[in-house]
Amino acid sequence: MTGRVDSTLSKGLSIIEALATEAKGIGVSELARNLELTKSNTFRLLQTLIAHGYVRQDQNKHYFATMKSWKIGQMIMEKLDLPRLSISQMQYLSSITGEAVYLSVLDGLSTLYIEKVESTKAIRTYTPKGGNAPIHCVATGKALLAFNYETLREKLIGNLGSYTDKTITTIEALDIEVEKIRETGVAIDLGEYRAEVISIAAPVFSANNEVIASIGISAPAINTPDEDIDKIIHTVIQAGKSLSNTLKDI
């Protein structure tokens, strides 16, 4: 039987999640409106979160999420040791494609590259381990986004930055893209973030069937003729499934 959800705790967690996407901070009135809470209730919750180190306030009375949530997430990730568990699949994917292979997790409205296997080709793409990219226009980001869309969709409205003429910049177009990714189990970026660079990624499911990471390749378009795309897609999907099975067996 499902236990009763604590309303105050739920509201506090909603505040932390909302602040995590606000790069410039937000005032209590706007935050309350966005979350459909009363201003007084929002203020009390903010003070509690400040006391526990999850939120800070600047001199302009704007509120920000602190790094405490990230530190907790890091401790959890370190115990899981996702990069170690993933490296064999990443190396396999690299051996088949010869391209750079990335393992990514959500970082606000970005994808964070937590592990990387370098390309073996002379012409290659470069994004460092620990780097970020917008979640809506690279394959590893879109794979994460598609399976966490219910919680991320509203936050992306008005935040779909344009990087090339192929970038998805409307929520309606993103809705269609997300549906396609869910149906096919693969996300594809054909120059949406960097022109002449493609990326292909698959979701990684945890033991409780939540998508906690994505695995994929990034390559210069010149390295990937159209006739090779389907083979790469199949290989990436299989890598995602194999890694998901590994996590489910832990």
Side-chain angles (χ1 to χ4, degrees):
M1 186 172 98
T2 302
R4 199 176 112 186
V5 176
D6 185 276
S7 175
T8 301
L9 177 59
S10 295
K11 292 172 184 176
L13 293 172
S14 295
I15 287 174
I16 293 173
E17 291 174 357
L19 292 178
T21 67
E22 295 288 343
K24 297 181 180 179
I26 188 172
V28 62
S29 297
E30 184 180 358
L31 180 60
R33 282 196 303 272
N34 291 348
L35 296 176
E36 298 182 347
L37 302 173
T38 65
K39 182 177 177 180
S40 60
N41 193 15
T42 304
F43 180 77
R44 285 195 299 272
L45 289 166
L46 284 167
Q47 298 312 303
T48 299
L49 292 169
I50 288 172
H52 286 276
Y54 290 94
V55 172
R56 66 179 178 84
Q57 182 185 27
D58 69 7
Q59 65 272 19
N60 297 316
K61 297 186 176 180
H62 284 175
Y63 294 90
F64 301 79
T66 68
M67 296 296 287
K68 187 169 184 178
S69 297
W70 179 83
K71 289 176 181 177
I72 292 172
Q74 282 295 103
M75 287 189 285
I76 294 171
M77 290 296 292
E78 286 170 6
K79 287 182 180 179
L80 181 61
D81 200 359
L82 191 54
R84 179 184 62 81
L85 294 170
S86 306
I87 196 65
S88 63
Q89 282 301 323
M90 295 179 70
Q91 290 171 340
Y92 172 74
L93 192 51
S94 174
S95 71
I96 297 297
T97 65
E99 302 295 350
V101 177
Y102 293 94
L103 180 73
S104 297
V105 295
L106 279 173
D107 182 23
L109 296 182
S110 298
T111 180
L112 172 66
Y113 303 111
I114 62 171
E115 188 56 272
K116 176 184 180 182
V117 175
E118 294 285 357
S119 169
T120 59
K121 296 185 177 179
I123 302 174
R124 64 185 72 179
T125 61
Y126 180 73
T127 301
K129 177 181 174 181
N132 287 88
I135 196 172
H136 68 287
C137 55
V138 296
T140 54
K142 291 199 291 183
L144 291 162
L145 170 62
F147 293 91
N148 293 278
Y149 202 48
E150 288 76 12
T151 59
L152 294 171
R153 185 183 186 277
E154 292 302 313
K155 299 172 186 177
L156 284 163
I157 296 174
N159 289 305
L160 298 173
S162 178
Y163 298 89
T164 74
D165 60 2
K166 296 181 179 179
T167 305
I168 294 173
T169 56
T170 68
I171 200 67
E172 294 78 13
L174 191 59
D175 289 342
I176 295 170
E177 182 75 355
V178 162
E179 184 176 355
K180 182 171 69 174
I181 293 168
R182 286 177 166 179
E183 288 176 355
T184 61
V186 66
I188 303 171
D189 147 37
L190 300 176
E192 296 171 37
Y193 182 47
R194 289 182 287 178
E196 304 304 322
V197 172
I198 75 163
S199 58
I200 300 169
V204 176
F205 292 84
S206 67
N208 60 357
N209 214 36
E210 294 180 351
V211 171
I212 60 169
S214 59
I215 184 173
I217 66 103
S218 176
I222 194 172
N223 288 0
T224 50
D226 292 344
E227 58 267 25
D228 290 348
I229 296 293
D230 285 346
K231 179 183 176 182
I232 296 173
I233 288 172
H234 175 76
T235 305
V236 168
I237 290 173
Q238 290 306 309
K241 288 180 177 179
S242 295
L243 182 50
S244 297
N245 289 335
T246 297
L247 298 183
K248 289 175 182 179
D249 290 337
I250 295 175

